[in-house]
Amino acid sequence: MLHDRPVESLYSTDVVAWLGRERLTPGQEAWVALDARRLHWSLARYRRDGAGLARLEPPRVVEAAECGRLLAGQPVVLAVCDEAPGAVETHRVRTPRAADLFALRALAEGPGPAEPLYPMPAVERR
């Protein structure tokens, strides 16, 4: 609870999928690909349901080569910037704004304890 309000959380990919949903026809599926840096990509899969959105696969971070294999031949990939490896067509969406978060309540996780999620693999320091 924060100021007597429950805390809900969203994945970054949820926000990008929501912003790009108008580029999809009802029932169409798409991947969201976000550059996670260090030659990794964050991927999640969604389907447009009417005016809404359903998350089919939660985000995971994969190396660029694996990203290319997963997206090979995929017709629609949504991203904020960059071309996703292996994608046939990448639709860029605008950078999300804070106000966009309020439209996404249906995809929010919670209410519950706020827990950070770090899907990027750890890097060994030498």
Side-chain angles (χ1 to χ4, degrees), residues 40-93:
H40 286 76
W41 286 79
S42 180
L43 296 177
R45 196 164 57 93
Y46 297 84
R47 179 183 58 239
R48 181 173 174 190
D49 289 337
L53 198 62
R55 184 186 321 117
L56 302 178
E57 291 183 38
R60 59 187 160 149
V61 173
V62 297
E63 292 181 0
E66 176 67 7
C67 178
R69 281 191 292 279
L70 288 170
L71 298 182
Q74 295 297 315
V76 180
V77 175
L78 305 170
V80 174
C81 60
D82 300 318
E83 294 293 328
V88 171
E89 184 176 359
T90 301
H91 294 283
R92 290 193 181 116
V93 300

Side-chain angles (χ1 to χ4, degrees), residues 99-120:
D100 296 323
L101 302 177
F102 294 102
L104 290 166
R105 213 134 182 235
L107 290 175
E109 303 286 329
E115 302 261 342
L117 174 66
Y118 301 104
M120 181 66 115

